[in-house]
């Protein structure tokens, strides 16, 4: 029997893996176990999958086999007894005619140059239903399978990497896993797949989980899983050689969809899978990540780079500058560089090892250490500017200086630079925070400390919650 439950639906467009465009006369269907005059059998699985796509047959590529009783090379089944509908590649040579199985044939030399594809798309139904990868990513092949888990992707990935030899792999998996298993195990399965991709010489791009309207009970697990993937991407980037491309890049789909309001228009009628509007974002974000792959971006959100692998460069530059000064100045400057730093302009995150500042007082203290050109300006609650402490210098729409933004998480803004500190550096109550009660009595963080359980949730006169302004009083350091 040659029935398969592992049906995949690949789609490939001519691109870097093809020597010349495919025209209709180059491919044809044979009969029994032979090809028409002027045509020859296909000899590779990759050529078979490409031919299946180009001929626009009724069913996708199914699997490979070594069966003497079926046509050798590439053939197609459509309502053939004993054969799962679709295209098969048979390693048996010469094979044999079998009922209505139809050989797929090509002109001599058509397969020449089929050494590798540029991009391989693997994963679950989010990949399988992404039906315009052909036109948007030339030289790509899509082998997504509806319902697949990361463990099932792992079962196929070795064969896919050996067959297609991709330069890049786009992967989506994990949501199906989290219906029935914990986050740690799901991440473990994902990590195995990523390690295999990187070992093959390819880089990986992960598109994160979606805040699907029909799976709200899983959102917490989704975000925990994404966080583990993001951390692993950071680790891989940190350990990579400077001359090597970022091994794993991630797109924070969940946060990006939430930022734009997570409208129902992003999803199909089942409120689970993406609509054409949702995939339009994926096409844009994936293209942006590919086009800027040389810039060392580790994590993207809504088309903006949020994390880059430049921590080492920044630290080295600062240390080099400090070395040229006197001994006393060197010590002071080194401490400041280690404890507080400016992140890259246009992002809303801090480099690995650093965190956002959570109080206006911490923001002011950081200003003193960084010796910036402009002073502290004000506090705000502006969702469209970086959350926490950030710096503006000739940034459109922003008064030059340091701002503390209580909006969480806020958003990246061109030119605005988050101010970041090492974990634990900032733990001081904001001396300027006040809460005025109904009797017009002005209270400060020491008042919060007396009854933190009741008062840490109070919003101050400047709009900042006591929990953020009074970390010592609220034990939130």
């Amino acid at each position: 029997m040659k029935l398969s439950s592992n049906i995949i639906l690949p789609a490939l467009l001519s691109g870097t893996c093809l020597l010349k465009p495919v025209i209709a006369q180059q491919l044809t269907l044979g009969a029994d176990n032979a090809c028409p005059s002027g045509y020859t059998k296909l000899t590779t699985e990759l050529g078979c999958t490409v031919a299946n796509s180009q001929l626009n047959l009724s069913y996708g590529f199914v699997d490979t086999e070594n069966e003497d009783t079926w046509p050798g090379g590439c053939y197609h089944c459509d309502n053939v007894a004993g054969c799962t509908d679709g295209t098969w590649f048979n390693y048996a040579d010469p094979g044999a005619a079998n009922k209505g199985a139809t050989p797929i044939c090509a002109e001599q030399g058509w397969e020449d140059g089929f050494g590798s594809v540029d991009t391989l798309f693997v994963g679950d139904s989010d990949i399988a239903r992404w039906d315009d990868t052909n036109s948007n990513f030339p030289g790509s092949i899509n082998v997504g399978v509806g319902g697949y888990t990361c463990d099932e992707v792992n079962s196929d990935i070795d064969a896919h990497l050996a067959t297609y030899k991709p330069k890049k792999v786009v992967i989506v998996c994990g949501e199906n896993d989290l219906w029935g298993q914990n986050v740690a195990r799901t991440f473990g399965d994902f990590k195995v797949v990523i390690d295999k991709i990187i070992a093959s010489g390819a880089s990986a791009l992960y598109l994160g989980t979606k805040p699907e309207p029909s799976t709200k009970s899983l959102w917490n697990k989704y975000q925990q899983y994404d966080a583990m993937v993001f951390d692993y991407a950071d680790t891989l980037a940190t350990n990579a050689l400077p001359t090597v491309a970022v091994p794993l890049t991630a797109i924070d789909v969940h946060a990006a969809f939430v930022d734009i309001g997570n409208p129902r228009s992003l999803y199909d009628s089942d409120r689970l899978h993406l609509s054409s509007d949702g995939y339009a974002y994926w096409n844009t974000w994936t293209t942006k990540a590919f086009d800027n792959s040389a810039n060392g971006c580790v994590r993207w959100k809504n088309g903006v780079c949020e994390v880059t692998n430049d921590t080492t460069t920044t630290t080295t530059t600062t240390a080099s500058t400090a070395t040229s000064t006197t001994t006393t100045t060197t010590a002071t400057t080194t401490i400041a560089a280690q404890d507080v730093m400016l992140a890259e302009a246009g992002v809303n995150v801090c480099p690995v090892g650093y965190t956002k500042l959570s109080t206006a007082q911490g923001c002011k203290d950081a200003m003193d250490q960084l010796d910036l050109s402009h002073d502290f300006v004000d506090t705000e609650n502006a969702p469209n500017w970086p959350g926490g402490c950030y710096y503006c210098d000739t940034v459109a729409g922003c008064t030059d200086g340091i701002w503390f933004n209580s909006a969480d998480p806020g958003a990246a803004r061109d030119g605005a630079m988050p101010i970041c500190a090492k974990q634990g550096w900032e733990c001081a109550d904001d001396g300027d925070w006040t809460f005025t009660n109904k009797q017009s009595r002005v209270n400060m963080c020491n008042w919060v400390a007396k009854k933190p359980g009741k008062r840490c949730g109070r919003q101050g006169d400047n709009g900042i919650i006591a929990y953020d302004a009074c970390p010592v009083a609220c034990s939130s350091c």
Side-chain angles (χ1 to χ4, degrees):
M1 293 290 288
K2 60 186 304 312
L3 302 179
S4 174
S5 60
N6 181 27
I7 300 177
I8 57 179
L9 302 174
L12 191 146
L13 185 71
S14 60
T16 57
C17 66
L18 303 183
L19 287 181
K20 54 188 176 180
V22 177
I23 57 177
Q25 292 87 346
Q26 289 182 295
L27 295 170
T28 190
L29 296 177
D32 297 326
N33 189 34
C35 291
S37 176
Y39 291 83
T40 185
K41 288 185 176 182
L42 299 176
T43 60
T44 66
E45 180 185 349
L46 178 56
C48 190
T49 57
V50 175
N52 177 81
S53 176
Q54 296 294 339
L55 288 170
N56 197 27
L57 298 173
S58 302
Y59 302 97
F61 185 82
V62 183
D63 209 345
T64 62
E65 63 182 0
N66 195 323
E67 296 284 347
D68 292 332
T69 57
W70 290 88
C74 187
Y75 69 93
H76 189 73
C77 287
D78 186 352
N79 198 29
V80 176
C83 179
T84 298
D85 288 340
T87 297
W88 293 79
F89 183 75
N90 187 7
Y91 286 99
D93 185 18
N98 195 318
K99 305 168 187 173
T102 307
I104 297 177
C105 309
E107 288 185 349
Q108 189 71 40
W110 181 81
E111 281 184 289
D112 292 349
F114 279 71
S116 65
V117 301
D118 186 76
T119 308
L120 175 68
F121 288 78
V122 301
D124 55 28
S125 56
D126 286 325
I127 292 289
R129 295 164 65 105
W130 195 347
D131 58 12
D132 58 356
T133 51
N134 275 15
S135 54
N136 285 291
F137 306 97
S140 69
I141 190 164
N142 186 323
V143 294
V145 184
Y148 251 29
T149 62
C150 290
D151 186 51
E152 287 172 312
V153 173
N154 182 42
S155 297
D156 292 348
I157 195 64
D158 291 313
H160 288 327
L161 293 172
T163 299
Y164 305 120
K165 301 177 181 63
K167 299 173 185 176
K168 304 186 289 286
V169 178
V170 177
I171 180 170
V172 176
C173 71
E175 290 180 348
N176 291 327
D177 311 59
L178 293 170
W179 280 96
Q181 70 181 22
N182 63 39
V183 174
R185 181 176 175 182
T186 299
F187 171 72
D189 292 338
F190 174 85
K191 182 178 179 296
V192 171
V193 179
I194 294 300
D195 290 348
K196 288 181 177 180
I197 292 170
I198 294 170
S200 76
S203 59
L205 174 67
Y206 166 73
L207 284 99
T209 61
K210 314 180 301 296
E212 308 144 336
S214 65
T215 62
K216 288 185 178 180
S217 62
L218 292 173
W219 286 8
N220 186 47
K221 292 176 74 173
Y222 283 0
Q223 291 179 289
Q224 291 177 45
Y225 172 63
D226 279 343
M228 296 183 76
V229 173
F230 298 160
D231 285 347
Y232 190 51
D234 294 343
T235 299
L236 288 171
T238 300
N239 295 334
L241 295 173
T243 55
V244 175
V246 173
L248 171 61
T249 303
I251 295 178
D252 192 349
V253 174
H254 201 287
F257 277 6
V258 169
D259 281 356
I260 62 177
N262 200 34
R264 293 292 173 85
S265 60
L266 295 174
Y267 303 93
D268 211 341
S269 58
D270 61 7
R271 303 194 303 161
L272 177 68
H273 295 100
L274 290 177
S275 65
S276 58
D277 288 352
Y279 279 118
Y281 280 104
W282 278 27
N283 283 322
T284 298
W285 297 341
T286 301
T287 300
K288 185 73 173 288
F290 283 168
D291 289 347
N292 292 272
S293 60
N295 295 340
C297 189
V298 181
R299 192 187 317 158
W300 293 83
K301 187 181 80 170
N302 206 5
V304 176
C305 181
E306 295 255 295
V307 177
T308 59
N309 186 27
D310 61 357
T311 306
T312 302
T313 303
T314 301
T315 303
T316 301
T317 302
T318 305
S320 175
T321 302
T323 302
S324 65
T325 61
T326 64
T327 303
T328 303
T329 304
T330 300
T332 304
T333 305
T334 302
I335 291 171
Q338 289 176 342
D339 290 346
V340 181
M341 69 171 295
L342 279 175
E344 180 184 358
V347 303
N348 188 35
V349 292
C350 292
V352 177
Y354 290 81
T355 187
K356 288 185 176 183
L357 299 175
S358 59
T359 67
Q361 184 60 49
C363 202
K364 296 171 185 176
D365 292 341
M367 173 186 70
D368 295 335
Q369 290 214 24
L370 289 172
D371 192 26
L372 299 172
S373 303
H374 306 287
D375 294 330
F376 186 84
V377 181
D378 205 347
T379 62
E380 64 181 357
N381 190 312
N384 56 342
W385 289 89
C389 189
Y390 69 92
Y391 181 65
C392 286
D393 187 0
T394 64
V395 176
C398 180
T399 300
D400 288 344
I402 295 176
W403 291 81
F404 180 74
N405 186 9
S406 60
D408 184 17
R413 193 69 174 255
D414 285 348
M417 295 177 282
I419 298 177
C420 308
K422 281 198 169 181
Q423 190 72 40
W425 176 83
E426 177 194 32
C427 192
D429 289 343
D430 186 346
D432 294 331
W433 184 88
T434 58
F435 171 79
T436 304
N437 63 18
K438 294 180 180 179
Q439 289 75 39
S440 299
R441 180 177 178 178
V442 178
N443 300 287
M444 303 178 72
C445 287
N446 59 345
W447 168 79
V448 175
K450 294 176 182 178
K451 294 182 179 180
K454 292 184 177 180
R455 296 172 177 173
C456 286
R458 296 292 179 91
Q459 181 172 308
D461 298 328
N462 60 1
I464 298 175
I465 302 297
Y467 183 87
D468 295 327
C470 310
V472 175
C474 295
S475 300
S476 60
C477 295

